[in-house]
Amino acid sequence: MSDSRFTRRTFGLGAAAVAGTSLAMPMLSRSAFAAPVALRMSSSLPSDPNSAHWVWYDQFSKNLKAKVGDQVTVNYFPDNQLGKESDIVGQVKLGIVDMMISGSSIWATVAPEVGVLDLGFLFPTLEASGTMLDGVAGQTLNKIFADKAGVEVLAWGVSFGGRNVTARAPAPTPAEIKGMKLRVLPVPNFVATLKAMGAAPTPMSLGEVYTGLQTGVIDGAEHDAPTVLALKWYEVAKHITLTKHIYNPQTAIISQRALKKIPADLQGPFKEAAAEATKYQRGKAAEVEAAAFATLKGNGVTTVEADRAAYKALVLPLWDEFAKQYPNTKPVLDAIGHG
């Protein structure tokens, strides 16, 4: 026998009630039902509060958690755990590694035009090395990254200080630096800049600098104050000349393949988290640099201002040479150098 309570009328009322309930439920985005996305990010530097990479990532991960919860996570691999920077660049390009934060210089191995940021005396101040990339210069470079490397720039962060000359003797003018053997980052425009300034640039690994200074193989090295402090070069080289010849931008990059893993409605919050982390990281840079100089001076290091105008005059011809070689970088030079 059928149950008389289940009439067509009562069934209709029940169906309407269920329909009404479903209409009252909030609309959920597709990402609410998608599996969480976990990405990997590589860095060559340690997880340290004085690391420009770590400060950016730490703030980014906090921002991301607040915006999307656990729907998208980025796991950080410092100290070259995923491989050397030179190898990771290619892996990010291919999407094997999802993300990378590094100095911009390494990307010149994939897109030579990015080397424009390694030209000496390009930026007038540490702050400008970030903010000047928020406009035409950054937009031009972003397109170069996309076209030549197939990746997207998430952030134009800054180094934690300008690169200066740390040596056994001060070099306030080109006359003093002439012939000085200085360890330099083995990047074409770094080498060219130090050579134009009058030094004898000597590429070598960071791990060999201390012994090189101690034994006289080199007279000095060029780097920012937090690095000089961390690597204890001040024990064997007591003079820092404030040439501030290069402010090397730090850039966070994501592969197109990784970006596509993120649901479309979460890509906006993801990029917002990166933009907010960039602003925070830039704001910390001067503070970290000042603290490093204070500690260095406490350890007997002396600083002297450099005649930056005299040095810059020697380096400026490199800008024209680079723009002729890579014409699509001229808008970058015009926006930064003459902006």
Side-chain angles (χ1 to χ4, degrees), residues 33-97:
F33 301 101
V37 176
L39 305 177
R40 297 186 303 162
M41 183 175 210
S42 177
S43 166
S44 63
L45 300 180
S47 301
D48 184 277
N50 288 318
S51 162
H53 297 181
W54 170 253
V55 169
W56 185 89
Y57 165 76
D58 185 49
Q59 190 62 36
F60 168 67
S61 63
K62 291 173 183 173
N63 296 345
L64 192 61
K65 177 79 171 178
K67 291 177 185 295
V68 304
D70 294 326
Q71 292 181 88
V72 183
T73 56
V74 176
N75 299 310
Y76 191 66
F77 293 85
D79 288 322
N80 289 320
Q81 289 178 19
L82 298 181
K84 296 183 298 183
E85 277 190 340
S86 55
D87 296 328
I88 295 297
V89 163
Q91 292 180 38
V92 173
K93 181 181 178 182
L94 295 172
I96 298 168
V97 173

Side-chain angles (χ1 to χ4, degrees), residues 112-129:
E113 294 92 337
V114 177
V116 69
L117 296 174
D118 299 329
L119 290 168
F121 301 94
L122 190 63
F123 297 103
T125 65
L126 175 59
E127 181 184 11
S129 68

Side-chain angles (χ1 to χ4, degrees), residues 170-320:
T173 72
E176 287 87 16
I177 208 172
K178 189 172 179 61
M180 191 179 278
K181 290 178 291 182
L182 297 179
R183 183 272 174 183
V184 63
L185 188 70
V187 171
N189 279 340
F190 272 74
V191 173
T193 292
L194 269 293
K195 188 174 181 180
M197 289 167 66
T202 309
M204 67 167 57
S205 70
L206 276 179
E208 297 173 339
V209 173
Y210 188 99
T211 303
L213 287 167
Q214 198 172 36
T215 58
V217 171
I218 54 174
D219 301 310
E222 57 85 44
H223 223 303
D224 56 68
T227 300
V228 174
L229 179 62
L231 298 181
K232 299 185 177 181
W233 295 350
Y234 61 87
E235 293 180 350
V236 284
K238 293 292 188 181
H239 300 278
I240 296 180
T241 302
L242 302 176
T243 49
K244 294 172 270 190
H245 51 278
I246 290 175
Y247 291 105
N248 188 224
Q250 305 295 301
T251 183
I253 300 290
I254 186 168
S255 73
Q256 291 293 346
R257 184 176 173 184
L259 199 57
K260 289 173 184 174
K261 294 179 186 177
I262 302 171
D265 61 316
L266 297 183
Q267 289 190 17
F270 183 86
K271 292 179 180 180
E272 287 170 10
E276 291 167 9
T278 304
K279 183 178 180 180
Y280 176 84
Q281 190 256 18
R282 290 178 185 176
K284 293 288 289 183
E287 175 188 329
V288 173
E289 182 186 40
F293 270 119
T295 304
L296 287 168
K297 288 176 182 177
N299 281 281
V301 170
T302 63
T303 61
V304 60
E305 291 290 340
D307 185 345
R308 294 186 78 243
Y311 277 122
K312 183 175 180 177
L314 296 173
V315 172
L316 274 178
L318 297 178
W319 294 19
D320 294 331

